[in-house]
Amino acid sequence: MQPQTDSAQRAAPGSQGRSRRVRRSALLWALIALAFYLSFILMTLVRGWK
Amino acid sequence: MPTPLAHAAPHDDHDHKPHGWRRWVYATNHKDIGTMYLVFSCIMFFIGGGAAMLIRLELFKPGLQFFDPQFFNSLTTMHALIMIFGAIMPAWTGLANWMIPMQTGAPDMALPRLNNFSFWILPFAFTLLLSSFFVPGGAPAGGWTMYPPLVLQTGASFPMLIFSIHLMGASSILGAINVIVTIMNMRAPGMTLLRMPLFVWTWLITAYLLIAVMPVLAGAVTMLLTDHFFGTTFFTAAGGGDPVMFQHIFWFFGHPEVYILILPAFGIISEVIPTFSRKPLFGYEAMVYAVASIAFLSFIVWAHHMFTVGMPLAAQLFFMLSTMLIAVPTGVKVFNWTATMWKGSLSFEPPMLFALAFLFLFTIGGFSGLMLAMVPADYQYQDTYFVVAHFHYVLVPGSIFGIMAGVYYWLPKWTGYMYDVKLATWHFWLSAIFVNVLFFPQHFLGLAGMPRRIPDYAVQFTDWNMVSSIGGFAFGLSQLLFPYVIWRCVRGGQRIGNKAWEGAHGLEWELPSPPPFHSWTTPPSDAVIARGAAH
């Protein structure tokens, strides 16, 4: 493994796969959070319409 | 033309540590961001503590002494918001930033710029919230639970409250994403999930809780905002809305939030007790499963906070029994910590003292929680000082003693110096004695019927209120020792080696003290990981 000199320079060729996994999983969890946010508002709306 | 790697190579001999204000404002290093979180948390702890002392000052005697009731209600509301979102949660994130990369063999957090962003949101959020004291109508006074329709009567500070809650929530969600992504992607090869230290495990589970419930709080306050400004009636009965619905949504967030505040403390206690017992943690896997069970159960108990709103008998029974069920995994943890100490070679340095106080006093808070879980009893205790005593036993000698145990445990690692143990021991004894003087009498007051969130009370409650206030002033003043001990340690002292504590295990103790700017630039070997994971 390459020595790390800076957080921004960490994406050495060998770690590109990991960078992709990091980005994808961060995006996935952000979308899950967004889904919780919207679904609770939607749930309250639907309940109000009944 | 040099490749990026060729460019990097000649610079390997130094750490590119930025200097001056840029080091902090543009920080992407996990230790720097962790330090900023901890300093921020400490400042908020003293601001929130100042509000608490003003509350106890007003309650020293019956009658209105110093403040009008509106301002008193602002103090209780702001005290809670500051302590929960400003002191305890950022302290855990600070400790996570410092320790998770070091304990998992990672060079840094996975998303360093996001890390910077999630920290720097907080000072803006709390500047906004605290400045609400100076707007017409004063700071929010409807309680940290923000129940409508009361909260909709808040003056000019209402949008400031809502926006600051959104900011705090965004900060927590971004921090949680970073923790999950770091733990799942950045662990050193060989650091399997069941080799991870308990602090990392508890934080991983806490991060899942944060992702699930902080957006729910954001959704609830967004609906409050539209009810207030845009004519919607989500929670306004006159327009067909349902104020009780807000309580359900709020507590769907609020109960897991309690575990967000306490689970990382379980992790720290699980690190400290084995170190000072010189024994491996008893039942490591059972501890992991217990934390996961507690987190799962935290999602299905929320309505125990609102038994008195009226709900079907079946719902009351469900929420009562599911709440009582939490005692099982919590009991597993308490017994495992006790079993870890059994026949151990115990010593009582400050982290261990705080961990032992945690064990006894958090258990008291747990037992009063069980009393509150019983529906018929809860009808009596609801909105009394018994509830105040209960959750303060969970949060002060629970969460805050957990933070203090963690700071006293890892401070020598962070600074490279041993702190003044005698002064830290004084800090412990003053805290442990006066936290009980402060909160134990509140059980008696609550059982005798004193309601919470009031600036005045009937004269028969005077004596225990005086005792509680004296405890509050003494506890508050004794906390000044904490930053003083830390400050002196940062400035210097007796140098320590890699291991500050003879019985300590874990990857962080394999690094020099203080650790280098980038933690594990080369992943630790399997042998080092196995030596650290001695559970």
Side-chain angles (χ1 to χ4, degrees):
Chain A
M1 186 179 172
Q2 287 295 328
Q4 310 299 318
T5 54
D6 190 347
S7 309
Q9 292 176 352
R10 200 175 307 131
S15 65
Q16 274 178 355
R18 186 166 72 176
S19 296
R20 200 178 306 116
R21 281 201 308 278
V22 163
R23 277 199 302 275
R24 278 183 185 171
S25 51
L27 196 62
L28 171 73
W29 288 107
L31 287 172
I32 290 172
L34 187 66
F36 269 96
Y37 174 72
L38 294 174
S39 63
F40 269 74
I41 294 177
L42 197 66
M43 179 191 72
T44 315
L45 267 176
V46 170
R47 194 171 181 278
W49 265 320
K50 276 182 186 171
Chain B
M1 188 176 168
T3 64
L5 280 178
H7 168 77
H11 293 263
D12 290 347
D13 57 332
H14 61 96
D15 56 21
H16 280 264
K17 183 160 70 179
H19 294 281
W21 62 270
R22 284 183 182 80
R23 175 175 175 188
W24 306 103
V25 175
Y26 302 147
T28 50
N29 181 273
H30 72 101
K31 300 184 193 75
D32 285 351
I33 295 174
T35 301
M36 288 197 292
Y37 266 112
L38 290 171
V39 170
F40 178 82
S41 155
C42 193
I43 293 167
M44 287 296 131
F45 178 62
F46 282 98
I47 294 175
M53 287 170 81
L54 292 179
I55 291 167
R56 286 314 321 169
L57 186 68
E58 178 59 50
L59 293 174
F60 189 77
K61 283 202 305 186
L64 294 179
Q65 317 294 324
F66 300 100
F67 312 124
D68 65 77
Q70 173 75 13
F71 183 70
F72 182 89
N73 288 341
S74 289
L75 283 177
T76 56
T77 303
M78 296 292 276
H79 163 70
L81 289 170
I82 293 166
M83 286 303 202
I84 292 168
F85 294 106
I88 299 178
M89 289 173 71
W92 289 138
T93 317
L95 286 165
N97 261 290
W98 256 101
M99 301 316 302
I100 287 175
M102 282 164 60
Q103 290 193 314
T104 55
D108 205 308
M109 296 296 277
L111 301 152
R113 291 186 185 89
L114 194 77
N115 208 8
N116 173 294
F117 184 55
S118 59
F119 169 75
W120 278 110
I121 289 174
L122 284 179
F124 292 96
F126 280 90
T127 304
L128 190 66
L129 185 66
L130 289 170
S131 59
S132 70
F133 272 114
F134 307 105
V135 301
W144 85 282
T145 49
M146 300 174 284
Y147 282 177
L150 180 63
V151 76
L152 297 174
Q153 298 169 17
T154 307
S157 62
F158 181 77
M160 300 165 84
L161 168 71
I162 301 298
F163 190 46
S164 61
I165 296 263
H166 273 130
L167 289 175
M168 296 166 202
S171 167
S172 295
I173 292 166
L174 297 179
I177 289 173
N178 213 347
V179 165
I180 294 174
V181 173
T182 302
I183 295 172
M184 300 315 281
N185 294 286
M186 304 285 285
R187 297 191 317 275
M191 176 57 79
T192 58
L193 286 176
L194 283 176
R195 274 180 166 180
M196 292 195 313
L198 249 295
F199 180 66
V200 180
W201 257 116
T202 52
W203 235 111
L204 179 64
I205 293 167
T206 301
Y208 287 130
L209 290 182
L210 279 165
I211 298 266
V213 301
M214 291 310 290
V216 178
L217 174 69
V221 298
T222 303
M223 289 185 272
L224 283 180
L225 189 78
T226 60
D227 273 8
H228 193 278
F229 288 109
F230 304 113
T232 60
T233 54
F234 285 108
F235 308 124
T236 312
D242 182 3
V244 175
M245 185 68 184
F246 178 86
Q247 296 189 27
H248 280 291
I249 297 173
F250 180 85
W251 286 114
F252 184 83
F253 144 79
H255 197 79
E257 171 68 15
V258 174
Y259 292 97
I260 288 165
L261 299 174
I262 199 68
L263 289 186
F266 290 173
I268 284 177
I269 302 307
S270 303
E271 306 270 340
V272 170
I273 287 181
T275 294
F276 296 98
S277 304
R278 290 152 184 88
K279 275 179 66 189
L281 182 69
F282 185 91
Y284 168 86
E285 287 190 30
M287 293 295 247
V288 173
Y289 295 133
V291 174
S293 309
I294 291 169
F296 169 73
L297 289 171
S298 76
F299 284 107
I300 56 167
V301 298
W302 76 88
H304 68 217
H305 292 271
M306 39 188 290
F307 282 139
T308 54
V309 299
M311 63 180 79
L313 181 65
Q316 290 187 345
L317 280 172
F318 173 79
F319 286 110
M320 178 174 78
L321 295 172
S322 59
T323 304
M324 288 179 167
L325 207 56
I326 297 183
V328 176
T330 310
V332 167
K333 300 191 74 63
V334 169
F335 286 124
N336 280 3
W337 288 323
T338 311
T340 305
M341 288 186 283
W342 179 254
K343 293 190 176 176
S345 177
L346 302 184
S347 60
F348 300 98
E349 286 85 348
M352 182 63 161
L353 290 172
F354 275 102
L356 286 175
F358 173 98
L359 195 54
F360 282 100
L361 302 178
F362 175 78
T363 305
I364 291 177
F367 278 133
S368 58
L370 271 176
M371 292 169 71
L372 285 161
M374 288 182 276
V375 178
D378 184 76
Y379 270 66
Q380 172 76 14
Y381 306 146
Q382 170 80 24
D383 271 340
T384 69
Y385 256 80
F386 190 83
V387 180
V388 178
H390 156 68
F391 67 73
H392 278 96
Y393 261 87
V394 173
L395 292 178
V396 182
S399 301
I400 289 178
F401 277 23
I403 293 164
M404 285 166 176
V407 170
Y408 281 132
Y409 184 55
W410 285 310
L411 187 61
K413 166 57 61 185
W414 300 339
T415 60
Y417 301 115
M418 181 51 76
Y419 50 82
D420 186 334
V421 171
K422 197 173 169 187
L423 216 50
T425 308
W426 266 100
H427 174 222
F428 165 74
W429 281 110
L430 290 171
S431 300
I433 291 168
F434 287 113
V435 80
N436 286 294
V437 178
L438 167 55
F439 294 121
F440 209 81
Q442 295 181 3
H443 291 108
F444 309 144
L445 290 167
L447 290 175
M450 179 173 160
R452 60 188 289 207
R453 291 173 172 156
I454 51 152
D456 189 9
Y457 51 82
V459 286
Q460 70 264 30
F461 302 132
T462 307
D463 291 349
W464 284 124
N465 267 299
M466 281 186 172
V467 172
S468 181
S469 289
I470 290 167
F473 301 141
F475 179 78
L477 291 175
S478 63
Q479 297 319 303
L480 294 171
L481 283 171
F482 189 47
Y484 179 66
V485 171
I486 295 170
W487 175 245
R488 277 189 50 185
C489 182
V490 170
R491 286 171 64 90
Q494 184 196 340
R495 283 217 166 269
I496 58 144
N498 289 6
K499 264 191 182 187
W501 314 107
E502 165 213 340
H505 290 279
L507 282 185
E508 74 269 35
W509 303 109
E510 306 287 339
L511 288 166
S513 306
F517 193 60
H518 296 292
S519 295
W520 290 101
T521 51
T522 305
S525 69
D526 202 54
V528 171
I529 291 173
R531 188 167 65 226
H535 41 251

